[in-house]
Amino acid sequence: MTQVGNGAQTAGRPTRLPRSARRKQLLAAAQEVFVAQGYHSAAMDDIAERAGVSKPVLYQHFPGKLELYLALLDTHCDAIVAKVQEAMAATSDNKERVSGAVRAYFDFVDHESGAFRLVFESDLRNEPAVRERVERVEQGCIAAITDTIISDTGVSRSRAELLASGLVGAAETAAQFWLAGGRKVPKAEAEALLTGLSWRGIASFPLQGESA
C-alpha cells in the first residue's frame, strides 16, 4: 500500500509512531486544514484524512476540535512572543531591537504555513479560550518591549507600556497590510520603513542619565 500522511500506513497496517511524533503529525495536518478552511468549516474527518490516520487515532491525542485548535494557538502564540523577547535580548542597540521586533511580525505573517491566520484572523475570536491566547500574544510582546523602554529611558511603566503598545500595534497592522496588498514593497524595505518610522519616535526619548 502507498504511504499516506507522512507514512501513516504501510502495507495495510498503521505505522506506530512515538506519541510525540504522532502529535506533531496531527498538529501539522490540522494547521493545514484550519488555515485553508477556518475553524467552523473544518471537520475532524478532514484533519484525520489529511494526516492519514483514523478518527479514533486523532481522538486519542485530542478530545475535540477546539482542543486541537488551542494546541496550535499555544504553539504559535508562544513563538511570536519568544521572537520579540529574543529581539530585545539580542543586542544593546535600541534601533536594532526595534528592527528585530518589526521583523518578528513580518516573518510570522510571511511564513508559508499561513499560521498567522490562526492568531490574527481567527474566526473563533469570541471563544474565551481563543481570545485569552490572542490577548496573551499582545500582552507578552508589549511586556518585552516595555521592560526595555523602562531600562533605557527611565519613563514610568504606564508610559512605557503605551509606547510599547504603539510599536506592537504598528508592526502587526503593517505586516498584515503588506501581505494583504500582495507584497508590493520588498520585505526588507518594508521592515526598514516601519523600523525607521518607529525609531524616530522612540529615539526622541533620552537614555537614562542624559538630559532631554
Side-chain angles (χ1 to χ4, degrees):
M1 177 178 287
T2 304
Q3 291 186 347
V4 180
N6 193 27
Q9 293 185 3
T10 305
R13 298 176 63 84
T15 301
R16 296 184 63 84
L17 293 177
R19 185 172 181 83
S20 60
R22 178 69 78 194
R23 179 182 173 87
K24 184 177 180 180
Q25 175 198 14
L26 296 175
L27 286 171
Q31 180 169 303
E32 292 178 6
V33 173
F34 285 135
V35 168
Q37 301 181 21
Y39 178 84
H40 292 295
S41 297
M44 293 293 268
D45 285 323
D46 300 327
I47 295 168
E49 181 178 354
R50 182 69 60 94
V53 301
S54 65
K55 280 180 67 177
V57 169
L58 181 56
Y59 280 112
Q60 285 174 9
H61 292 264
F62 300 97
K65 187 168 72 167
L66 178 59
E67 288 77 13
L68 187 49
Y69 192 83
L70 293 178
L72 281 170
L73 272 185
D74 283 335
T75 297
H76 295 298
C77 289
D78 291 346
I80 184 65
V81 172
K83 287 292 185 183
V84 173
Q85 290 172 336
E86 289 168 9
M88 297 300 103
T91 178
S92 59
D93 184 317
N94 287 332
K95 186 174 182 179
E96 285 301 313
R97 285 170 167 166
V98 171
S99 177
V102 169
R103 188 181 309 114
Y105 277 91
F106 274 81
D107 285 348
F108 187 48
V109 304
D110 194 40
H111 195 276
E112 63 184 8
S113 69
F116 82 95
R117 300 189 187 282
L118 304 179
V119 179
F120 297 141
E121 298 180 0
S122 175
D123 58 349
L124 200 61
R125 293 291 287 269
N126 290 331
E127 166 62 41
V130 172
R131 186 168 60 249
E132 182 274 329
R133 284 162 172 79
V134 173
E135 291 174 352
R136 190 176 72 206
V137 171
E138 181 179 283
Q139 294 304 315
C141 293
I142 288 173
I145 298 170
T146 293
D147 290 339
T148 299
I149 292 174
I150 289 174
S151 65
D152 286 343
T153 68
V155 300
S156 67
R157 175 162 293 275
S158 60
R159 289 173 175 80
E161 286 175 340
L162 186 60
L163 292 169
S165 69
L167 175 56
V168 167
E172 178 184 330
T173 300
Q176 292 185 77
F177 180 85
W178 169 79
L179 183 67
R183 302 180 176 89
K184 294 177 183 177
V185 178
K187 183 182 175 187
E189 183 182 351
E191 293 172 0
L193 285 170
L194 189 60
T195 295
L197 174 65
S198 302
W199 175 244
R200 286 186 182 94
I202 293 175
S204 66
F205 291 86
L207 296 175
Q208 289 202 76
E210 294 181 354
S211 59

